[in-house]
Amino acid sequence: MNVNQSAPPVPPFGQPQPVYPGYHQSSYGGQPGSTAAPTPYGAYNGPVPGYQQTPPPGMSRAPPSSGAPPASTAQAPGGQAAYGQFGQGDVQNGPSSTVQMQRLPGSQPFGSAPLVPVVSQPAVLQPYGPPPTSAQVTAQLAGMHISGAVAPVPPTSGLGYGPPTSLASASGSFPNSGLYGSYPQGQAQGHPGAQPPQRSVLPQASSFTPSASGGPRMPSMTGPLLPGQSFGGPPVSQPNHISSPPPQALTPGTQMSGPPGPPPPMHSSQQPGYQLQQNGSFGPARGPQPNYGSPYPGTATFGSQPGPPQPLPPKRLDPDAIPSPIQVIEDDRNNRGSEPFITGVRGQVPPLVTTNFLVKDQGNASPRYIRCTSYNIPCTSDMAKQAQVPLAAVIKPLARLPPEEASPYVVDHGESGPLRCNRCKAYMCPFMQFIEGGRRFQCCFCSCINDVPPQYFQHLDHTGKRVDAYDRPELSLGSYEFLATVDYCKNNKFPSPPAFIFMIDVSYNAIRSGLVRLLCEELKSLLDFLPREGGAEESAVRVGFVTYNKVLHFYNVKSSLAQPQMMVVSDVGDMFVPLLDGFLVNVNESRTVITSLLDQIPEMFADTRETETVFAPVIQAGMEALKAAECAGKLFLFHTSLPIAEAPGKLKNRDDRKLINTDKEKTLFQPQTGAYQTLAKECVAQGCCADLFLFPNQYVDVATLSVVPQLTGGSVYKYACFQVENDQERFLSDLRRDVQKVVGFDAVMRVRTSTGIRAVDFFGAFYMSNTTDVELAGLDGDKTVTVEFKHDDRLNEESGALLQCALLYTSCAGQRRLRIHNLALNCCTQLADLYRNCETDTLINYMAKFAYRGVLNSPVKTVRDTLITQCAQILACYRKNCASPSSAGQLILPECMKLLPVYLNCVLKSDVLQPGAEVTTDDRAYVRLLVTSMDVAETNVFFYPRLLPLTKSPIENTTEPSAVRASEERLSNGDIYLLENGLNLFLWVGASVQQGVVQSLFGVSSFSQITSGLSVLPVLDNLLSKKVRGLIDGLRAQRSRYMKLIVVKQEDKLEMLFKHFLVEDKSLSGGASYVDFLCHMHKEIRQLLS
Amino acid sequence: MATYLEFIQQNEERDGVRFSWNVWPSSRLEATRMVVPLACLLTPLKERPDLPPVQYEPVLCSRPTCKAILNPLCQVDYRARLWACNFCFQRNQFPPAYAGISEVNQPAELMPQFSTIEYVIQRGPQSPLIFLYVVDTCLEEDDLQALKESLQMSLSLLPPDSLVGLITFGRMVQVHELSCEGISKSYVFRGTKDLTAKQIQDMLGLTKPAVPVQPARPAQPHEQPFVSSRFLQPVHKIDMNLTDLLGELQRDPWPVPQGKRPLRSTGVAVSIAVGLLEGTFPNTGARIMLFMGGPPTQGPGMVVGDELKVPIRSWHDIEKDNARFMKKATKHYEMLANRAAANGHCIDIYACALDQTGLLEMKCCTNLTGGYMVMGDSFNTSLFKQTFQRIFSKDFNGHFRMAFGAILEVKTSRELKIAGAIGPCVSLNVKGPCVSENELGVGGTSQWKICGLDPTSTLGIYFEVVSQHNAPIPQGGRGAVQFVTHYQHSSTQRRIRVTTVARNWADAQSQLKHIEAAFDQEAAAVLMARLGVFRAESEEGPDVLRWLDRQLIRLCQKFGQYNKEDPTSFRLSDSFSLYPQFMFHLRRSPFLQVFNNSPDESSCYRHHFARQDLTQSLIMIQPILYSYSFHGPPEPVLLDSSSILPDRILLMDTFFQIVIYLGETIAQWQKAGYQDMPEYENFKHLLQAPLDDAQEILQARFPMPRYINTEHGGSQARFLLSKVNPSQTHNNLYAWGQETGAPILTDDVSLQVFMDHLKKLAVSSAC
């Protein structure tokens, strides 16, 4: 079926291309809108970012799309003409190039100015409703459909969007400025906001003017907005925002003044796109945009790209016509990357994780801490069931913030401790309602009325706000910390500073591989970089050392000793800690002894022949040591082999590939013995977190060994076939990062919600002894917990839904604290609102985690089918309830979810769910584990790797090259590409790359002389080399784990490995290509609909 | 019978043997009527500077069940080069080496003056001496410091090639590996878990399979004999290391909460020490030296819980069966002691604490293995320091006065059988024709293992006469006993000392006088006391006393001269005259009386009593009292309250204590400072004299006695008052105000009363 369907599209595509221009524009508009999470913008108001506004919510998208279609059609011609040149080429390249284009020029400035005003006011509240739905992306399988789609769209949009007005406006808006003008009013709908941006793009001079006017409004807006402080921001912003504001301010300014001038051109090009938006969203459109900027001429370049559609056989669905992740990402960057995301308004969809943006906390937690699958929650469980969209939040309570953003303020409420609701125990937050002149407050979660303690009393102003609201972080910010009182401490005693224990395998394998020597050498300097709190001069963290093979060796490194003392414990069956004093020491005090120890460890075991190791007793020992020292802490385990020595937790080699694709496959993911779970439980009780570094030469049963790290909030690192020469940098880099990162210990996390929904399921690295408290022996800034919510009652549209995530933890200086994150979400009675405010990346994060946990209990096949079904149901529900009527052969996707199929396909073909022949059992368990704690950004790139062409853009261009889609078709054999997914990093070299390039990058004269599998690029003094190495370093810096580089030559045997990551293609293990999967999904949807 | 006294003394000096009877009754029946069993005190390694060991091996009787050693009592046919075994009468060829033998060219072992002779065995590997220190770290800082210094000092006293090891314990037990450079390494064990020998060896990596996996470092191969010597290293190699290690020893770091005793894993520590040696040096002489500063409070062998509010068991608790841990702990230590003994390792206990430390439970460790038990108040006292140092004292040849892993084998002529032995030994369960079925002490065997012994170690060996009443005694026939002691000399040589003694048989009916005259009342008293103490370990105190009394009465009935029912007519001959007095004091001694002694003290006293030689044993039974006064030179006086006079200085030696007691007047003079006045220099000399004598005793004795300097009315005077015969008490009023001695506030009977009762009972026909 699919094929057939796809076939038809093709032809259309041909057409579409021409259309593209329109598409692009439309898409752009749409995309920006969609991606940007229009709603928020509205909220934001644009002050800042016009951009964001544009993006705002799906709403914007929707309208635009809806509007777009017509526009597109209309414009199309014009656009086409323009595009005509680009033609196909545009399509392919389009995205990337467009992206740049958009960003730079118009969108940002524009958006910011005009949008702001518009959105801000109304958008927040009403706006959404109306515009939202529009977001649909109608992907027409057949070109025919597309065209058709376009036509229909407008109506659909109108329908779907619910808010006819919006539609109207949208449609109207298209007209441009006129609309805008209206927008201000329409803003309420939000769309306006969203659209505006687009429009801003669209609008030509004329349109702009409106935008310009928008600008002016802005100020006015701000005025009213003032409450939003930040809002005032735009103008005000400068003062407040510091860095960010200025640019914004400028932009607006510029826009304002210049709007007509500069923007228009840009926009003009885009405009056409706008109309198309809906369709365009699919991705094809993008191409053009990039070109738009300057590039038009650039068509040529486009052409260069491999994928060119034109040639496409008529039968196939044009890959360029289907939604492109690249395009979506680019659009979001362009539209929302330049302005801060201000969290003051409920239910805003934040920019994509791939977009760089600043966050201003004005009452809701930053998306760096919490991201939701949807920012608009159905009011009833029936609706939720109908939509099948999982309601989940991905929470990263200790997320690291960029330096520009302040870390949460610490609030000290003195001896009485943090103020809480008496009934539900929620902590004081900005949503609490003070009443009776400030003497009482009503809990925003459970509505209980509580007395305000005298010392906390404060008068209210005429709006009912406390006069000191802005002086108190807990009344004005989304994220903040409380100092905990002794009541919040274990045993009612303030905790001691935590300790790090390094537990090093010194069996034959570890010694031979050089690991021990390397590690000991590194530790000497690394110990100076233990995490410290704030401005502390030295870290409060104490350290201890253990080595082990079949027995454990503890070291007494007390500062008063001349030499360290080793204490061997052979009783591994009944582990205990042989010493108290001198095991955990302050690094500075015991430095000489520690140095001496680290010098001697490699020598002492240099001749070892001991190959057997134990594992569970090692963890037990570390845990007992912490227990004896009465502190929390972290174990750094460096382990090499399957623990086969006689001891608790002894394991057998049970790796059996024959189990794959059988009902027993799940056993490969399950731990071999329950001993580790029991042990983990004890660890959690003690606040003992375990980080495991594995250096296996063969099967080590990651599934079992990782149980403790997993349940204690630790990390696992795996270096298969570790060799010092090759893996040193990667290991050391990971180690440094792991040791230095800030960690919270002995943590308990609880998520409270407004009445109506509650947290029912949790995913991540932690342990739960009851159904509500997430216990984390350790929690660092890389770990996320995904929480799923279910309805247990009706939600109220007016009051929305609130989340409060409270994390009680011990800081690395031993201070007991509570970190609170609050997030307010909207509630809706219209499905369209839900679909307009979803975030696909978060959705995928949730679904991947859900599926990866599913493999523990069900056959992999079942898990995959479940995913596909759910996805189909989500999309079918949209089609049925939100999309405008269209022919059944047409695939219509919600704007916010147009990437769902491609991403989901990536999840389905991932190693865990569909292993290739070369994937080991350990690898699968390892990946499963990693994904479980990944945040949205990590899952995004992990499932859909970034593929960056290195030689496309001029060398002088210092910006990061635009990514291309992960498909072999996109590779040109004359270029070099970089591919990364957060864990792996490949440099693919095409067979016919220019010699000069080879020379300047690899220092050899020809392609054939490049060493395949090379992991380090030579340091050469030329622009290209510097740029590529800089780029690689930059990528590594973005990721929580060091990515080892592998140079892959085209046609080389290593290429197989590389191709595994080209996720849009058919995979060797049987994974469907994007196109095929989309067709399949379409079929499923149609089945559901009929 | 001066001759008998001389004979006895001569024999003791030459052979280290004292028999209760020096003429033996010829039949079983007569022997039992003698009351005091035929027995002897044997000091196997009595120091014999005049006896250089011979450098060849002994000649054995070829009969497999006999294997007696050629001795001066054997008949030798020089012409035929044959000798007849005097135990089994087997005729044996001399070995080829004896080709040149003749009446004028006799080998030493045939000369009568060499009834005791020592052979040096050249065969076999020479194993080094092994000293394994097991050190408690739950000590006060001062104590630990003192102990560390003592231990460090001891290193310098050890022969350079002897092996040393170190185990420390507190809450955990650490076995220190001594071979490593740089990092000091130790194996740590939980203090609460008993481990089998196999487990210990596995965990220490001593088992064979571990060897290929973890082969000795290249540096070690040349030390093949000491494969597993990581924990036991020659002193000369690790001298510095170990000194540093000891220097760095810290008090047990685990916190001790208020109201608790420190957790002390003595039971496991000893278990590991035993297991370690068992695995590495079985059947090699080794000394485990346990230093402890308090009772074991956890794990197997715990004696008391860690709650300070629950005191350690007292005799009262034990009688009430209220000592919770005693049985289990005793069992634990017995098991260890037996294992150690089986491997020839001896265990010393040095317990220094103000309270009890559990010696009662642990006594078998020393008693069965021949180790020392030393009890003191603190490691920081000269009592401990001197005693410890004295362990390493050397003989005239510069060798330690200690020997290891001895096996004592006793052979008797046919008329005798071996009933058992009492002393620091364990049975080897070697049955044979000369083993009696009636056991006295540790019986049922003809061989005993004595894991550690020194020149004063003395065993009581009990015999049974088995010849029937009617069997004629060969005219001039003599019964013979041969004691063969294989042992490891402190020079690491294996040696064999052979003592062959013979005594005449006599018909008790016709020759009772002879037998009577040949009675050695001192030896008899000690031998009977050993039997009594041996019984006291397992029986109720009163039962033992009753038994002793009955024996005494029977002896008096048998050998006293009296008219029936007329107590005043009762007389005992010279050779028996002191015996009742010994028994009187024995009844009062701490060996049989537990009143006023803690269980630990009783155990310690009994321990020493069971291993000291005759002279020392007698002092223990009946302390010696010397008097110093202006009336004449120092003289021994009666151990009687009447000896306590105001103008006397008394010096009492109870073996365990040296008490100097200033009489009332003397004390006043001293307070007045007369000794500092030149004109009273003689007083100064008088004060000094007992001090000098006491010093002399202190210097020589092992273990060093408690030294008490007190005066009339001083609290410490109780040591004296509790020992003297309470001839004057608050009960016999007539004594008040008389110038003879001091009254003792006691209800105990005096010697006089005791003797009166004895006479009355002896002459009565009722019993």
Side-chain angles (χ1 to χ4, degrees), chain A residues 324-473:
Chain A
S324 153
I326 305 302
Q327 189 61 52
V328 172
I329 290 170
E330 290 291 329
D331 289 350
D332 193 68
R333 274 190 194 159
N334 293 339
N335 293 324
R336 305 194 63 177
S338 59
E339 310 249 353
F341 176 73
I342 298 177
T343 69
V345 176
R346 187 172 90 188
Q348 300 175 95
V349 180
L352 293 186
V353 284
T354 42
T355 302
N356 284 323
F357 60 99
L358 284 183
V359 180
K360 290 194 176 179
D361 186 345
Q362 291 200 348
N364 281 302
S366 155
R368 301 189 204 287
Y369 295 123
I370 308 183
R371 275 183 181 268
C372 295
T373 51
S374 170
Y375 289 81
N376 207 330
I377 298 183
C379 278
T380 65
S381 62
D382 287 348
M383 260 178 86
K385 271 180 203 147
Q386 198 184 354
Q388 285 286 324
V389 176
L391 302 176
V394 179
I395 306 178
K396 199 174 184 184
L398 297 183
R400 267 192 303 270
L401 301 178
E404 303 84 22
E405 293 177 18
S407 44
Y409 289 99
V410 180
V411 181
D412 187 356
H413 276 183
E415 286 183 5
S416 58
L419 191 53
R420 308 173 68 171
C421 168
N422 287 332
R423 188 199 294 164
C424 68
K425 300 296 177 196
Y427 294 85
M428 179 53 64
C429 71
F431 309 120
M432 295 287 188
Q433 194 70 44
F434 284 86
I435 55 176
E436 295 182 24
R439 285 193 303 272
R440 297 189 167 186
F441 68 93
Q442 181 168 27
C443 174
C444 49
F445 295 94
C446 69
S447 305
C448 174
I449 296 187
N450 300 276
D451 288 336
V452 174
Q455 73 273 14
Y456 198 73
F457 175 80
Q458 184 60 266
H459 292 289
L460 308 184
D461 66 11
H462 64 283
T463 62
K465 280 198 117 155
R466 277 173 63 119
V467 175
D468 63 351
Y470 296 114
D471 301 332
R472 291 188 176 268

Side-chain angles (χ1 to χ4, degrees), chain A residues 102-121:
Chain A
Q102 291 181 344
R103 289 180 184 176
L104 302 179
S107 60
Q108 298 179 346
F110 280 91
S112 65
L115 295 177
V116 176
V118 178
V119 178
S120 64
Q121 299 173 342

Side-chain angles (χ1 to χ4, degrees), chain A residues 702 706-707 709-710 715-716 765 852 912 924-934:
Chain A
V702 171
S706 63
V707 166
Q710 162 76 9
S715 314
V716 178
Y852 278 17
V912 172
R924 297 178 71 196
Y926 179 57
V927 168
R928 197 187 76 78
L929 195 71
L930 291 181
V931 169
T932 304
S933 334
M934 278 185 181

Side-chain angles (χ1 to χ4, degrees), chain B residues 165-191:
Chain B
L166 176 66
I167 294 177
T168 56
F169 67 94
R171 182 165 166 157
M172 314 271 171
V173 180
Q174 294 187 49
V175 184
H176 295 267
E177 186 174 318
L178 302 176
S179 59
C180 40
E181 300 288 322
I183 282 185
S184 69
K185 191 171 169 185
S186 58
Y187 283 67
V188 188
F189 295 82
R190 203 190 264 280

Side-chain angles (χ1 to χ4, degrees), chain A residues 790-809:
Chain A
K790 286 254 163 68
H791 286 78
D792 57 4
D793 203 348
R794 274 189 68 89
L795 286 167
N796 185 331
E797 240 180 319
E798 293 208 346
S799 53
L802 302 179
L803 308 182
Q804 183 177 70
C805 162
L807 178 81
L808 174 62
Y809 71 101

Side-chain angles (χ1 to χ4, degrees), chain A residues 243-266:
Chain A
S243 61
S244 59
Q248 298 176 350
L250 292 178
T251 50
T254 55
Q255 297 171 352
M256 296 300 289
S257 63
M266 301 297 297

